[in-house]
Amino acid sequence: MISLTIHIDTPEKQWKGSFKKMSEKIERAAGAAFVVARRPAAFSSRNFSLNIVLTDDKSIKTLNHDYRGQNKATNVLSFPQFDIRKFDVGSLAYHPSPTPVPLGDVVLAWETVKKECKAQKKDLENHTIHLVVHGTLHLLGYDHMKNKEAKSMESLECDILKSLGYPDPYK
C-alpha cells in the first residue's frame, strides 16, 4: 500500500497560524496532488515522504539564486530528489522498504505569497494551498515550460483544488 509522509517546517514565524488548520490543510493538499498525479507503477507498494518549508523572501531568494541563477525571491520552489521523468525502478533500491523514498522539498516564501494575495485579491489560504499543489506536482515530474505541459498541469491543479473545495486559481 502506498503512503506519503509530509513534514512541514516553519522557520518563518509569520506563517504560523496564518489560516485555520493550516498544517492539516497543507498536508491534505500535498497528499491529494500525490494521489492524483500519475506516477510509475513501481511506486504502488512504497512509502514516500516530502518536506514543505514555509520560509521568508530572504531564504527563498538565496535558494533561487543558488539553484536557478535568479537573484530574486519567488513564491514557491520545488526541489525534487530525483527526476521522475527519467525514473529507474532500480533507484528505489537506495531506499530499502519500509524506509520512505524522499520525493523532495517544496518551499514557499511568506512575503511574496502575501504580496501576491494583495495584488491579485486572493485569499491567503486559497493561494497557499494552490502553491502547495503546484509545488508537489513539480516533484512528481509536472512542468509548465511548454504550452501543452502548462495546460495539462493547470488542469490537474484545478481538478485537485476543486476536489478539496478550493476555487480555480486561474480565474
Side-chain angles (χ1 to χ4, degrees), residues 49-56 58-70 72 74-85 101-109 131-132 134-142:
S49 68
L50 71 85
N51 299 311
I52 297 175
V53 182
L54 304 173
T55 192
D56 60 12
K58 181 180 177 187
S59 297
I60 210 163
K61 180 180 178 182
T62 299
L63 291 169
N64 205 17
H65 175 267
D66 292 352
Y67 292 95
R68 297 180 67 228
Q70 296 186 21
K72 62 180 182 176
T74 188
N75 56 9
V76 63
L77 290 173
S78 295
F79 297 97
Q81 189 70 20
F82 55 91
D83 187 346
I84 203 165
R85 293 169 294 185
V101 177
L103 291 175
D105 304 301
V106 175
V107 185
L108 281 77
L131 294 173
V132 167
H134 182 90
T136 302
L137 290 175
H138 274 309
L139 296 181
L140 296 165
Y142 287 84

Side-chain angles (χ1 to χ4, degrees), residues 11-132:
E12 173 50 58
K13 303 302 180 214
Q14 292 193 63
W15 277 108
K16 291 188 186 282
S18 62
F19 55 88
K20 196 173 184 172
K21 297 184 179 181
M22 182 181 75
S23 293
E24 180 183 314
K25 291 174 180 177
I26 286 173
E27 287 182 20
R28 208 168 116 230
F34 177 76
V35 168
V36 170
R38 294 182 305 270
R39 57 194 177 273
F43 277 29
S44 63
S45 62
R46 293 303 307 263
N47 298 318
F48 294 86
S49 68
L50 71 85
N51 299 311
I52 297 175
V53 182
L54 304 173
T55 192
D56 60 12
D57 275 7
K58 181 180 177 187
S59 297
I60 210 163
K61 180 180 178 182
T62 299
L63 291 169
N64 205 17
H65 175 267
D66 292 352
Y67 292 95
R68 297 180 67 228
Q70 296 186 21
N71 195 27
K72 62 180 182 176
T74 188
N75 56 9
V76 63
L77 290 173
S78 295
F79 297 97
Q81 189 70 20
F82 55 91
D83 187 346
I84 203 165
R85 293 169 294 185
K86 298 176 184 172
F87 177 75
D88 171 15
V89 73
S91 65
L92 290 179
Y94 293 110
H95 308 282
S97 194
T99 304
V101 177
L103 291 175
D105 304 301
V106 175
V107 185
L108 281 77
W110 172 257
E111 296 92 342
T112 297
V113 172
K114 284 288 286 183
K115 283 182 221 166
E116 289 175 346
C117 287
K118 186 174 181 177
Q120 300 169 19
K121 297 183 171 107
K122 290 184 176 182
D123 176 78
L124 178 65
E125 178 181 333
N126 294 352
H127 192 43
T128 301
I129 296 303
H130 171 230
L131 294 173
V132 167

